[in-house]
């Protein structure tokens, strides 16, 4: 077992992986929360035509498995040259319907 640990530590930069994971996790969380908070506030306090139908669409989009969009995500990221970048890893998680609906309900009870 010590041979395996020394073998991996020479060839794998674990700190680079930890740094990249932290950048992606913190960046995606902050961007998702910011965008969802602005959208939730807008949905809650502004008169939007067809607001009920838009919120129903948000709830329905939560029920769709995210695996159905993998090929579309790949095509999109390939077309805008974001494959193999940290931004490309963060982007699919930024537009999150669950966070939008959760903050929509929260804003309605608190404010």
């Amino acid at each position: 077992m010590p041979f395996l640990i020394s073998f991996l530590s020479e060839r794998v930069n674990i700190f680079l992986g930890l740094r990249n994971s932290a950048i992606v996790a913190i960046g995606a969380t902050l961007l998702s929360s910011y965008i969802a908070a602005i959208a939730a506030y807008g949905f809650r306090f502004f008169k939007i035509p067809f607001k009920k139908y838009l919120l129903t669409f948000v709830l329905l989009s939560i029920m769709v498995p995210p695996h159905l969009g993998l090929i579309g995500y790949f095509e999109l990221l390939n077309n805008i040259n974001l494959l193999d970048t940290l931004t490309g890893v963060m982007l699919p998680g930024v537009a999150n319907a669950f966070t939008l609906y959760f903050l929509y309900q929260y804003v309605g009870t608190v404010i």
Side-chain angles (χ1 to χ4, degrees):
M1 190 60 129
F3 171 74
L4 181 63
I5 293 172
S6 66
F7 176 76
L8 288 178
S9 65
E10 291 175 6
R11 290 177 171 70
V12 177
N13 188 354
I14 193 77
F15 296 110
L16 179 65
L18 287 173
R19 181 187 66 105
N20 289 343
S21 295
I23 289 170
V24 169
I26 292 169
T29 302
L30 291 176
L31 278 173
S32 176
S33 299
Y34 180 72
I35 291 171
I38 291 173
Y41 184 85
F43 268 119
R44 182 55 80 176
F45 293 111
F46 294 122
K47 295 191 186 292
I48 301 171
F50 306 110
K51 181 188 332 189
K52 183 177 178 181
Y53 297 113
L54 289 172
L55 287 173
T56 303
F57 178 74
V58 168
L59 283 176
L60 288 174
S61 69
I62 293 173
M63 298 176 199
V64 175
H67 306 303
L68 294 177
L70 286 179
I71 295 174
Y73 291 146
F74 177 81
E75 292 283 329
L76 175 67
L77 294 175
N78 191 22
N79 288 337
I80 59 176
N81 296 325
L82 286 179
L83 282 181
D84 296 330
T85 63
L86 294 178
T87 307
V89 176
M90 278 190 277
L91 272 183
V94 169
N96 190 352
F98 175 75
T99 309
L100 169 63
Y101 192 73
F102 181 77
L103 287 175
Y104 172 76
Q105 294 294 348
Y106 178 73
V107 166
T109 58
V110 173
I111 297 178

